[in-house]
Amino acid sequence: MRIELATTPGDPRVPNEDYASVALPASGQGGVLVVLDGVTPPEEDYGCVHGVPWFTARLGGALLELSGSRRDIPLTDCLSRAIERTAEAHGSECDLSHVRTPQATVVAVRWDAERVEHLVLSDSALLIERTDGTVTPVLDDRIDQLIAAGRRPLAPLRNIEGGFFTAAADPAVARRAVTGTFPRAGVRAVAALTDGAARWVEVFHEGDWAECFALLRKEGPQSLIDRVRAAEDADPERIAFRRGKTHDDAAVVFAEL
């Protein structure tokens, strides 16, 4: 089994809000990977005394532990319980009803000898390489649909019906995730990317998802992030390629199963 992970902050002076981790709890018979992209809050008060890195570490750690130890329950239930556990850790000093309370996108993959389960919530990406060499992207495209429909600004559409969803303080949001299962025998490898790394495809159009996966297989996650950083540096004013930040936190996990 080959597993590689890389993550870098968009600004080295600011804590990385992405989370990436892998666990192999089943003695070589299975594993779990979790990747979160923390949502950067506005500069004004957002009702919480904790920062986004605290939130992603708590939520990611809880989701990784539950997904590995409670293999008898679906990933949606693992995410729901992880959100509950993290909300309880906030304490009474935090206003979890605030629309911008700390939150994150989620990718989770769990595999054993029989199957590969996946969950994607919001705009991080999951790539599944089949044994025939084809690459299937698993995407929660609600944000893209809203943009295509001219629904701007996006912020008021967060975690409401008809909008898009992120993991914050409401456990019910887990039911909004894109989920599915593949037979283990049909899957060769998987890769999870936050949107800061997926910029290589989605913003800079350096290649498609299959080419992105081929790059990860050949050169590894850090090489993909380095290429994104080079493209960002070549367009510092965001004129050629429009994006919210010049540089974004980026995280990638690549796993051959």
Side-chain angles (χ1 to χ4, degrees):
M1 179 177 290
R2 169 192 171 195
I3 296 175
E4 296 185 33
L5 182 157
T7 181
T8 63
D11 183 342
R13 299 167 298 179
V14 179
N16 192 340
E17 295 174 340
D18 286 358
Y19 171 95
S21 190
V22 180
L24 303 175
S27 302
Q29 299 303 309
V32 179
L33 70 81
V34 172
V35 171
L36 308 183
D37 183 356
V39 178
T40 302
E43 293 185 1
E44 62 267 22
D45 177 58
Y46 53 94
C48 182
V49 301
H50 304 98
V52 173
W54 176 93
F55 174 79
T56 54
R58 288 276 184 162
L59 180 62
L63 180 56
L64 187 76
E65 187 273 319
L66 286 163
S67 299
S69 65
R70 292 302 309 273
R71 304 184 75 88
D72 57 316
I73 62 176
L75 287 176
T76 49
D77 287 352
C78 292
L79 177 57
S80 179
R81 296 184 188 193
I83 292 172
E84 286 182 340
R85 185 184 294 182
T86 305
E88 292 171 356
H90 272 281
S92 59
E93 66 270 32
C94 298
D95 177 11
L96 300 185
S97 67
H98 195 292
V99 68
R100 295 306 296 271
T101 190
Q103 53 203 270
T105 74
V106 182
V107 176
V109 182
R110 178 169 64 185
W111 64 93
D112 59 22
E114 301 298 326
R115 58 183 183 165
V116 178
E117 305 168 72
H118 64 265
L119 178 152
V120 178
L121 184 67
S122 199
D123 60 352
S124 290
L126 172 64
L127 307 179
I128 307 285
E129 184 188 42
R130 311 299 295 277
T131 51
D132 63 4
T134 59
V135 174
T136 301
V138 180
L139 308 171
D140 178 353
D141 64 355
R142 276 171 281 214
I143 290 178
D144 291 337
Q145 291 180 21
L146 291 169
I147 292 172
R151 301 283 302 280
R152 295 290 190 108
L154 292 172
L157 303 175
R158 185 185 305 276
N159 289 328
I160 65 169
E161 196 65 43
F164 67 100
F165 298 90
T166 54
D170 180 8
V173 77
R175 302 297 173 186
R176 305 287 188 165
V178 177
T179 61
T181 303
F182 289 91
R184 169 71 180 270
V187 176
R188 180 183 297 161
V190 300
L193 304 80
T194 61
D195 66 344
R199 284 181 168 191
W200 193 82
V201 174
E202 297 178 324
V203 174
F204 299 113
H205 311 296
E206 295 286 342
D208 60 19
W209 291 119
E211 291 167 324
C212 180
F213 203 96
L215 173 61
L216 289 171
R217 175 178 287 286
K218 181 179 180 181
E219 300 183 17
Q222 188 60 55
S223 179
L224 175 64
I225 294 175
D226 291 344
R227 289 171 183 248
V228 170
R229 291 287 179 256
E232 292 168 336
D233 289 340
D235 181 37
E237 302 302 321
R238 295 173 281 171
I239 295 173
F241 300 97
R242 296 184 62 186
R243 54 202 191 272
K245 305 174 184 176
T246 301
H247 303 284
D248 194 9
D249 298 341
V252 183
V253 176
F254 174 85
E256 287 183 340
L257 306 185

